[in-house]
Every structure is written in structure tokens, then in C-alpha cells.
Amino acid sequence: MHSSENKAKLPLTIRILVGIAGIPSIVLAYMLVLTFMREGIAGISAFEVVYSLVGAVALYIAITGKRLF
């Protein structure tokens, strides 16, 4: 088995691209929090939640440089 510490980190250019691609998802997550506070959970669809989670994972990859698979 390979441990996660033996894996090479992603190059900086790839990390920057992943981070830039994840920014709209973080903006959506902010909008979801505002919608939840104003209208409740009924105003939020499942797709929006999944899209925001994908953006959070993208930013995690961009910041740490770790590969998930």
C-alpha cells in the first residue's frame, strides 16, 4: 500500500488552475448560506449543494497539492 505522504504533490501551475476553477463553487456556497439564512432549506437544491462541495474539494487540492486518487 502507498501512503499519502509518498505521493508527489501537484505542480504549482495545476494547483493554480484547480483553484481558479473552484472559485465559482465557493461563491455558490456563500450564496447558499445566505439563501439558507433568509429562505430556509427549501430554497436550495441538491445539485447546488453537490456543486459547492466539489468546489471545496477543488480548493483543498489547490491549497495542499495532495491528490485524492
Side-chain angles (χ1 to χ4, degrees):
M1 286 263 155
H2 292 55
S3 68
S4 61
E5 293 153 14
N6 290 339
K7 291 182 180 178
K9 288 191 173 187
L10 292 171
L12 182 61
T13 53
I14 300 297
R15 291 169 62 183
I16 290 172
L17 287 174
V18 170
I20 291 172
I23 289 174
S25 299
I26 297 304
V27 172
L28 177 63
Y30 172 73
M31 291 169 48
L32 290 179
V33 170
L34 290 179
T35 302
F36 177 74
M37 291 175 15
R38 291 182 184 162
E39 300 174 15
I41 196 80
I44 300 172
S45 71
F47 175 76
E48 293 170 328
V49 174
V50 171
Y51 190 81
S52 295
L53 290 175
V54 169
V57 170
L59 288 183
Y60 171 78
I61 292 170
I63 291 170
T64 63
K66 294 181 182 178
R67 298 174 189 215
L68 296 180
F69 45 88

